[in-house]
Amino acid sequence: MSTTSTRPPALPGFTTVYRRTGHREFLTTARKRADFALGALSPDHVPVWDYLAPQAPHDIKDASAGAVMACGLLELSRATGEPRYREEALKLLTALSETCLTRKSPRADAVVARCTRNRPSEDGIEISLPYADYYPLEGILRVLRLDDIDRAIDLSTV
């Protein structure tokens, strides 16, 4: 099991699997991924498309990665009781809302812009992606309705 990633989507997954199984190795991996990703963030708190890119942290941004990471950090804070993960998640969500939302654009068919799908092939640079709209909303729900998050997000338990 790799302990770092060049992109953060595994963070919420490992944390959720830990919460559902209780196997601590998933929590350990989630913490390592979170700490790696947080260490790679630039001061603007909007991640680049790949934390190990040669131009990081000054490369093309990926707001979708930031949104996914924020949700994972909120879940990790809940699982560990460590407030620093929640604080960083709130910084990410704030940065996304201040710099990555589409505003008054005739081309805006989404909420979040500045997402990157495939930088190496120059496919989908600084675009909107469906999951980039989903994860900030999930993050807001996690902040506002922490006690009901399973019902609000995971309908399989209903």
Side-chain angles (χ1 to χ4, degrees):
M1 187 180 317
S2 172
T3 58
T4 59
S5 173
T6 58
R7 298 180 50 90
L11 174 58
F14 278 109
T15 307
T16 300
V17 172
Y18 161 71
R19 187 168 53 85
R20 294 193 177 184
T21 67
H23 297 299
R24 297 210 47 92
E25 64 269 17
F26 292 109
L27 183 62
T28 299
T29 300
R31 283 183 183 197
K32 288 179 181 179
R33 287 178 180 264
D35 294 340
F36 172 78
L38 288 171
L41 281 177
S42 59
D44 71 356
H45 275 79
V46 179
V48 296
W49 71 276
D50 187 326
Y51 297 127
L52 297 178
Q55 298 89 0
H58 307 289
D59 205 342
I60 300 292
K61 298 293 185 173
D62 186 0
S64 62
V68 173
M69 185 174 155
C71 289
L73 290 170
L74 289 167
E75 181 72 8
L76 186 58
S77 178
R78 180 180 177 204
T80 63
E82 292 184 37
R84 71 183 177 105
Y85 291 127
R86 180 180 169 81
E87 291 163 11
E88 292 298 325
L90 294 176
K91 288 178 189 176
L92 278 162
L93 290 171
T94 299
L96 294 175
S97 69
E98 290 175 350
T99 65
C100 299
L101 298 183
T102 56
R103 300 170 195 246
K104 299 181 184 176
S105 170
R107 295 182 355 196
D109 55 356
V111 176
V112 179
R114 297 186 72 195
C115 302
T116 301
R117 182 174 41 229
N118 189 342
R119 170 86 162 98
S121 68
E122 297 294 323
D123 174 37
I125 307 297
E126 298 273 330
I127 62 168
S128 296
L129 295 168
Y131 52 89
D133 286 350
Y134 169 83
Y135 280 99
L137 295 175
E138 179 179 325
I140 291 166
L141 282 174
R142 287 181 183 277
V143 170
L144 297 177
R145 298 181 55 179
L146 187 58
D147 293 335
D148 291 336
I149 194 63
D150 282 334
R151 254 190 29 196
I153 302 301
D154 182 6
L155 299 178
S156 67
T157 60
V158 175

